[in-house]
Amino acid sequence: MTSCRHDAASHLALSDASVYFSIRGQTICALDSVSLDVREGETVCLVGPSGCGKSTILNLIGGFLSPSSGSVSMEGRAVGAPGADRAVVFQADAVFPWLTVRRNLEYGPRARGRFDDAARERVDHYLELMGLRDFADAYPKMLSGGMRKRVDVARAYVNDPGVILLDEPFGAVDDMTKSHLQRELMRLSVSDGKTSLFITHDIEEAIYLGDRVVVMTPRPGRIKEVIEVPYDRPRDLAIKTTEPFQQLRRRVQATLGEAA
Ligand SMILES: Nc1ncnc2c1ncn2[C@@H]1O[C@H](COP(=O)(O)OP(=O)(O)O)[C@@H](O)[C@H]1O
Ligand SMILES: [Mg+2]
């Protein structure tokens, strides 16, 4: 992905990043001196109580927000504004209802004037990988919420960004659909090895998808603990029912509990 890759270099780095917001004359500290390195190809999952600053971290890396102090960088360069090198997937899908599924996937490359053979291949690749091939000519309103979410995720990957940022993307889907989406994301991570930051409320989801799980404290958000997940990819969904996985879940749960 990069020509000058250093083993020790992190792809994404927050260094002593703090964020203050001013609301009606009151200053609140949303993030307090957070340092976090994400290595190339790694998936880091962020968990923490509501309002602890998870989305704020994502907004910093996405370039939607600047830190009040400290720094945010990607490949050693300061992050200034949003860019096509960082794709974002939110809970509410961003699928265009007036375009077919295929056209939704083509939208990014077309908009950037890069709809070449390679982009065409990527569109087909992600349609296939996300189980969308038979729905390529359907309009989003004909699809279930889970299928629309697949389109949403595929749209982010098709642009071939260096980093994918996901903010509780499966927060509004039912458990069964969520498991399927997690499995598909696992498949994507094996096929692409993209650097990802994944925010979730669901501890099992964080462990299943993450190389590391970062547990945050309540506001002002700080990093409470970083927990390594010792499983290679691809990971089967059935891993969730194993005792070592459940032990890890209890450990993350306990850390979260202490954080409250
Ligand atoms: N644009 C904003 N203006 C004022 N306060 C904000 C803004 N964005 C977030 N906050 C506050 O910062 C804190 C962290 O928010 P957020 O990062 O959204 O938390 P999380 O995603 O972990 O639920 C919350 O107290 C929230 O109310
Ligand atoms: Mg949030």
Side-chain angles (χ1 to χ4, degrees):
M1 206 177 298
T2 49
S3 51
C4 55
R5 198 182 296 177
H6 309 288
D7 281 348
S10 54
H11 202 210
L12 287 174
L14 256 70
S15 182
D16 278 331
S18 295
V19 172
Y20 296 91
F21 290 113
S22 209
I23 314 170
R24 289 185 292 275
Q26 277 214 323
T27 300
I28 67 146
C29 180
L31 269 192
D32 185 15
S33 236
V34 167
S35 295
L36 175 67
D37 285 333
V38 183
R39 294 184 284 270
E40 186 164 1
E42 186 182 32
T43 298
V44 167
C45 292
L46 274 183
V47 295
S50 190
C52 75
K54 301 182 294 297
S55 296
T56 300
I57 289 183
L58 184 135
N59 287 333
L60 286 174
I61 296 171
F64 304 111
L65 184 72
S66 298
S68 309
S69 63
S71 66
V72 183
S73 63
M74 179 167 169
E75 290 179 342
R77 284 187 298 276
V79 165
D85 55 346
R86 285 149 289 146
V88 191
V89 180
F90 295 105
Q91 181 168 317
D93 71 64
V95 170
F96 295 134
W98 61 89
L99 296 177
T100 63
V101 168
R102 179 182 290 282
R103 280 285 176 156
N104 262 284
L105 266 64
E106 291 175 356
Y107 181 84
R110 281 183 190 275
R112 289 185 295 129
R114 302 238 184 98
F115 191 55
D116 51 13
D117 285 348
R120 239 177 278 263
E121 264 175 39
R122 279 206 307 280
V123 167
D124 282 329
H125 173 69
Y126 290 110
L127 283 172
E128 180 72 38
L129 212 57
M130 295 302 272
L132 291 165
R133 209 183 47 187
D134 294 343
F135 299 89
D137 299 320
Y139 284 88
K141 68 168 185 291
M142 301 158 143
L143 305 178
S144 66
M147 289 303 258
R148 269 205 307 280
K149 205 72 235 181
R150 285 183 174 83
V151 178
D152 203 27
V153 171
R155 254 170 48 125
Y157 272 80
V158 137
N159 291 310
D160 199 23
V163 172
I164 307 255
L165 307 168
L166 305 108
D167 196 348
E168 306 197 28
F170 308 148
V173 297
D174 61 84
D175 283 349
M176 182 73 132
T177 307
K178 182 155 65 164
S179 295
H180 292 176
L181 289 166
Q182 289 168 357
R183 196 184 48 203
E184 260 116 53
L185 210 58
M186 178 60 62
R187 213 182 289 155
L188 285 180
S189 82
V190 172
S191 105
D192 280 53
K194 288 251 181 270
T195 309
S196 316
L197 186 75
F198 190 102
I199 296 177
T200 177
H201 267 107
D202 180 333
I203 295 176
E204 292 197 352
E205 178 169 80
I207 299 172
Y208 173 68
L209 292 172
D211 294 301
R212 288 185 294 155
V213 177
V214 173
V215 180
M216 295 182 64
T217 66
R219 209 182 82 202
R222 298 192 189 101
I223 290 175
K224 165 91 180 177
E225 197 174 331
V226 179
I227 294 164
E228 299 272 345
V229 180
Y231 302 118
D232 289 338
R233 288 168 204 287
R235 299 171 185 169
D236 198 286
L237 277 172
I239 202 175
K240 290 187 186 180
T241 57
T242 64
E243 186 48 30
F245 186 99
Q246 287 301 321
Q247 266 174 20
L248 207 51
R249 182 188 63 74
R250 285 192 291 273
R251 189 173 149 212
V252 175
Q253 181 81 63
T255 308
L256 257 174
E258 283 167 26

mmCIF file of all heavy atoms in Angstrom, residues 39 115 154 188 201 219:
data_model
loop_
_atom_site.group_PDB
_atom_site.id
_atom_site.type_symbol
_atom_site.label_atom_id
_atom_site.label_comp_id
_atom_site.label_asym_id
_atom_site.label_seq_id
_atom_site.Cartn_x
_atom_site.Cartn_y
_atom_site.Cartn_z
ATOM 1 N N ARG A 39 -1.491 0.034 13.510
ATOM 2 C CA ARG A 39 -0.517 -0.423 12.505
ATOM 3 C C ARG A 39 -1.214 -0.726 11.187
ATOM 4 O O ARG A 39 -2.417 -0.996 11.152
ATOM 5 C CB ARG A 39 0.184 -1.682 13.010
ATOM 6 C CG ARG A 39 1.047 -1.448 14.236
ATOM 7 C CD ARG A 39 1.781 -2.710 14.636
ATOM 8 N NE ARG A 39 0.914 -3.667 15.307
ATOM 9 C CZ ARG A 39 0.709 -3.709 16.632
ATOM 10 N NH1 ARG A 39 1.296 -2.831 17.421
ATOM 11 N NH2 ARG A 39 -0.081 -4.615 17.160
ATOM 12 N N PHE A 115 -13.012 5.881 -12.885
ATOM 13 C CA PHE A 115 -13.772 4.659 -13.145
ATOM 14 C C PHE A 115 -13.137 3.911 -14.313
ATOM 15 O O PHE A 115 -13.631 3.911 -15.429
ATOM 16 C CB PHE A 115 -15.245 4.991 -13.397
ATOM 17 C CG PHE A 115 -16.103 3.758 -13.403
ATOM 18 C CD1 PHE A 115 -16.102 2.891 -12.323
ATOM 19 C CD2 PHE A 115 -16.894 3.449 -14.493
ATOM 20 C CE1 PHE A 115 -16.875 1.738 -12.321
ATOM 21 C CE2 PHE A 115 -17.682 2.298 -14.510
ATOM 22 C CZ PHE A 115 -17.661 1.444 -13.422
ATOM 23 N N ALA A 154 -19.566 -2.102 1.207
ATOM 24 C CA ALA A 154 -18.888 -2.349 -0.075
ATOM 25 C C ALA A 154 -18.510 -1.028 -0.738
ATOM 26 O O ALA A 154 -17.442 -0.892 -1.327
ATOM 27 C CB ALA A 154 -19.788 -3.173 -0.995
ATOM 28 N N LEU A 188 -13.714 -9.631 4.280
ATOM 29 C CA LEU A 188 -13.073 -8.457 3.683
ATOM 30 C C LEU A 188 -11.690 -8.220 4.280
ATOM 31 O O LEU A 188 -10.746 -7.897 3.572
ATOM 32 C CB LEU A 188 -13.918 -7.197 3.922
ATOM 33 C CG LEU A 188 -15.182 -7.023 3.094
ATOM 34 C CD1 LEU A 188 -15.872 -5.726 3.484
ATOM 35 C CD2 LEU A 188 -14.858 -7.007 1.624
ATOM 36 N N HIS A 201 -20.560 -1.080 20.513
ATOM 37 C CA HIS A 201 -21.029 -1.287 21.884
ATOM 38 C C HIS A 201 -20.925 -2.753 22.266
ATOM 39 O O HIS A 201 -21.073 -3.125 23.417
ATOM 40 C CB HIS A 201 -22.521 -0.915 21.984
ATOM 41 C CG HIS A 201 -22.739 0.486 22.407
ATOM 42 N ND1 HIS A 201 -23.180 1.447 21.536
ATOM 43 C CD2 HIS A 201 -22.556 1.094 23.590
ATOM 44 C CE1 HIS A 201 -23.263 2.591 22.180
ATOM 45 N NE2 HIS A 201 -22.878 2.401 23.419
ATOM 46 N N ARG A 219 -16.358 9.934 30.118
ATOM 47 C CA ARG A 219 -15.858 11.286 29.888
ATOM 48 C C ARG A 219 -15.178 11.854 31.121
ATOM 49 O O ARG A 219 -15.723 11.694 32.224
ATOM 50 C CB ARG A 219 -17.051 12.160 29.500
ATOM 51 C CG ARG A 219 -16.687 13.307 28.618
ATOM 52 C CD ARG A 219 -17.892 14.138 28.317
ATOM 53 N NE ARG A 219 -18.145 15.068 29.420
ATOM 54 C CZ ARG A 219 -19.323 15.615 29.659
ATOM 55 N NH1 ARG A 219 -20.365 15.321 28.916
ATOM 56 N NH2 ARG A 219 -19.471 16.459 30.640
#
